[in-house]
Amino acid sequence: SANTMWGGRFAAGPHAIMEAINASIGFDQRMAAQDITGSRAHAAMLAATGIITKQDAQAIDQGLVQVLAEIETGTFAFSTALEDIHMNVEARLSDIIGTPAGRLHTARSRNDQVALDFRIWVRDQCDAAITGIESLMQAFLAQAEAGADWVMPGFTHLQTAQPVTWGHHMLAYVEMLARDKGRFQDARARMNECPLGAAALAGTSFPIDRQMTATALGFDRPTANSLDSVSDRDFALEFLSAASICALHLSRFAEELVIWSSAQFRFVRMSDQFSTGSSIMPQKRNPDAAELLRAKLGRILGATVALFTVMKGLPLAYSKDMQEDKEQVFDAADTLMLGLAAMDGMVRDLTANRATLEAAAASGFSTATDLADWLVRELNLPFREAHHVTGSLVKLAEDKGCDLPDLSIEEMQNVHGQITAAVYSVLGVQNSVASRTSYGGTAPANVRTQIARWKEVLK
Ligand code: ARG
């Protein structure tokens, strides 16, 4: 039989396969609460503007509250024939209250309805992401504070570069996460315009009050162009983009954890709660959570590319292609929230091996740049020449199988006659990091200043 919602001009109902490809109820039931919130605001507005009676609006409102309760308690029977959450809710409302239910859809289309519901859903997820990010920033901040002056090797090309502090490394992630938070805040502010009232695409001839529904639903204002309102999925694309960059940051730290927790590095120990064992190798402590976090970005980025691809060729206004927006965003949001929570737990539980970090910091000629800088400062050598002299000293140490501080003053003077014993003071890693006081540098004093600043910001 023909569809009860739109079947007026149809003699026959859809083929089973048509129904299967057309239905979104399997996933868009996740927007039930948003749909009902939107409908309640719409009905209240229709009554306030005299488009429907107060009695009908009241019946609609009470019915919708009951429908939501049925959905939340799991007694609601979702129907694929009714395609999506919008028609499932309305059909059930009609069962409960009868005729007035048919007045709810006045001056509205599923096009503005779905644009509204999805926007509210994504807006909620921006808030959840911001909360998760703030918590993770606190976790990194606590790590930074615990080891503000612990020395570790800093890398470029994953080769020992210069000593840095653990606190500085942890604060690098606080900076990244702060930008992530900013992206979700920006996206949220930009998406906070209400599309309800755009109707199918052209607006409506009913005297609706879009300012009223926008305000009731927590939006800053109604959207200004009805065509754009039902065509636009920028809010979802922006959410996915912000989620992708955030997940990329989680993935990079996950990669560092995988490296750092290896037997070759031993920089950190992940807690039992965030490690797994091997069923054959009893010694194993595998960083599965970190590995999974590294991989989860693939899903989120995949969702981002998928929605860009869905949207890129669509003429205005609504096309059914856009129904493919939700699963991508749902999965990306779920993945991001799980990832943030997992990283939060891992970071809070993480133990850094201070002694291992410091020993590693001192290896690999990590203070060679300090030596070159000393030659510039004390002997007034041009930096290029200082670089060359230092390179010769590194080669000498390497040939001898020792570190730079182990070279005797005679050996140093054979390479450059004016070097004095004062040079040894800059070859220690503590001195090295302590000297990096340029703004944004790794010195413990800087790290403590930045920790204090972040504590103020996150308070
Ligand atoms: N289920 C649809 C979606 O997710 C709702 C909008 C349907 N609109 C339409 N004109 N068929 O996009």
Side-chain angles (χ1 to χ4, degrees), residues 24 28 84 86 110-111 114 318 320 322-323 326:
S24 55
D28 68 13
D84 56 25
H86 323 294
R110 271 188 297 154
N111 295 348
V114 73
Y318 178 86
K320 196 63 173 258
M322 289 160 73
Q323 182 166 285
K326 285 171 268 314

Side-chain angles (χ1 to χ4, degrees), residues 6 22-25 27-28 31 83-86 109-115 200 233 318-326:
W6 44 252
N22 200 33
S24 55
I25 189 61
F27 48 87
D28 68 13
M31 303 193 307
E83 288 184 29
D84 56 25
I85 186 62
H86 323 294
S109 154
R110 271 188 297 154
N111 295 348
D112 60 336
Q113 191 177 357
V114 73
R233 291 296 180 271
Y318 178 86
S319 298
K320 196 63 173 258
D321 309 50
M322 289 160 73
Q323 182 166 285
E324 290 287 311
D325 56 3
K326 285 171 268 314

Side-chain angles (χ1 to χ4, degrees), residues 61 181 191 287 386 398 448:
D61 197 69
K181 177 180 158 185
M191 75 178 66
E398 194 171 43
R448 292 200 179 91

